[in-house]
Amino acid sequence: DQQVKQNSPSLSVQEGRISILNCDYTNSMFDYFLWYKKYPAEGPTFLISISSIKDKNEDGRFTVFLNKSAKHLSLHIVPSQPGDSAVYFCAAFSGSARQLTFGSGTQLTVLP
Amino acid sequence: ETGVTQTPRHLVMGMTNKKSLKCEQHLGHNAMYWYKQSAKKPLELMFVYSLEERVENNSVPSRFSPECPNSSHLFLHLHTLQPEDSALYLCASSQDPPSGGPNEQFFGPGTRLTVL
C-alpha cells in the first residue's frame, strides 16, 4: 500500500493563475516532506521542503502547506508560468529509516 | 561534469543479455541510490549505499546487482531481465546522515531501459 499518494495524475492551469498540487500520506512518523519537479529527459530536482513541526514554508512563488491532522500537504505556485509545466513529485522523509518515499507524481501543464 | 551523471541514457537489451548502468556524482556526497520509475507509478527505491556499504535493498530481484566501488561511483549490473523491468532507472546522491534537515537527494537524468 502506498504511503504517499498523489491522487491527481494531471492538472491544467492558465498562466498567471494559482496551481495547487495535493499530496496525502499515511505514516504519521514522517519528519519532512519535499516536493521535486521533473522535466522530460531530466532527473527530478528538489523544489521545496517542510518540517513536520511546521504548517507552512514559502520560497518565492512556491508555498507548501502541511495539515498534520489530515495527513495532507499541498504545493501552491502563484503566479503559474509556462516554464512550471513539469511532473511534480511529493516525497516524505523518515529520519529513522533515512530514506524518501515518493508519490506517483502530478503532471502540471500551465497554458499560455 | 557537475552534479550526477548517468550512462547510457538509453539502453535496449534482450532478456539474455548482460549490461551495466553507470552513475557518477561530483557533489562530494557519501550516499548513493538506485530508483526505478515505471509509468504512472511512484519512484521505487531499489538500493542505498552509505559510505560505500549497502544499507537497503528493498527485496529487489537478484537479476539486479549493484556495485559501489567508491563514494563517487555506482553501478547497476543487469542480467536476464524481464520485459516488465523496462523502466527509467534513476541514480541519486545525498549527504548522509543529513545535517539536521531532510535527506535532499540530487538525481541524475536517468537511463531509459527497454527489455525485449
Side-chain angles (χ1 to χ4, degrees):
Chain A
D1 192 28
Q2 289 185 39
Q3 295 191 64
V4 178
K5 293 183 181 180
Q6 293 176 258
N7 292 316
S8 297
S10 62
L11 174 68
S12 291
V13 172
Q14 206 68 37
E15 181 179 5
R17 307 295 291 267
I18 185 170
S19 295
I20 300 177
L21 298 125
N22 293 303
C23 179
D24 297 295
Y25 62 95
T26 57
N27 185 349
S28 59
M29 301 303 292
F30 287 130
D31 300 293
Y32 285 90
F33 299 91
L34 301 85
W35 285 94
Y36 280 80
K37 179 168 75 171
K38 184 180 185 302
Y39 292 117
E42 295 182 14
T45 55
F46 171 75
L47 193 56
I48 191 170
S49 66
I50 187 168
S51 165
S52 61
I53 62 173
K54 296 192 174 182
D55 55 18
K56 178 182 175 181
N57 188 26
E58 189 173 354
D59 183 3
R61 296 186 297 115
F62 303 90
T63 303
V64 57
F65 295 92
L66 176 62
N67 182 334
K68 286 194 71 176
S69 60
K71 295 191 176 69
H72 176 83
L73 67 153
S74 60
L75 174 68
H76 293 214
I77 307 173
V78 56
S80 301
Q81 300 173 354
D84 296 328
S85 297
V87 177
Y88 288 78
F89 290 97
C90 171
F93 175 68
S94 165
S96 57
R98 302 206 321 264
Q99 62 178 267
L100 286 172
T101 302
F102 284 85
S104 53
T106 296
Q107 171 69 58
L108 173 66
T109 302
V110 180
L111 305 169
Chain B
E1 292 280 11
T2 59
V4 181
T5 58
Q6 290 186 244
T7 54
R9 295 293 307 274
H10 300 271
L11 178 62
V12 179
M13 60 186 289
M15 289 193 287
T16 58
N17 291 159
K18 287 184 182 181
K19 296 286 185 183
S20 295
L21 309 184
K22 178 183 176 182
C23 175
E24 184 172 359
Q25 61 97 359
H26 309 268
L27 300 169
H29 290 160
N30 59 9
M32 297 186 77
Y33 310 79
W34 279 116
Y35 286 88
K36 174 184 177 183
Q37 187 191 7
S38 303
K40 309 298 183 188
K41 288 187 177 180
L43 275 70
E44 302 171 47
L45 179 63
M46 300 175 72
F47 299 103
V48 179
Y49 276 84
S50 179
L51 299 173
E52 299 159 42
E53 290 189 10
R54 186 192 302 181
V55 296
E56 182 68 56
N57 72 352
N58 283 317
S59 302
V60 176
S62 60
R63 57 186 183 268
F64 295 91
S65 174
E67 179 190 0
C68 187
N70 55 61
S71 60
S72 298
H73 295 86
L74 185 65
F75 295 90
L76 187 63
H77 303 299
L78 315 172
H79 177 49
T80 60
L81 295 191
Q82 304 298 312
E84 59 264 30
D85 296 321
S86 299
L88 180 68
Y89 288 84
L90 290 160
C91 173
S93 70
S94 71
Q95 191 61 25
D96 184 49
S99 51
N103 185 357
E104 182 184 337
Q105 296 179 14
F106 293 78
F107 285 83
T111 295
R112 174 68 63 185
L113 174 67
T114 302
V115 181
L116 301 176

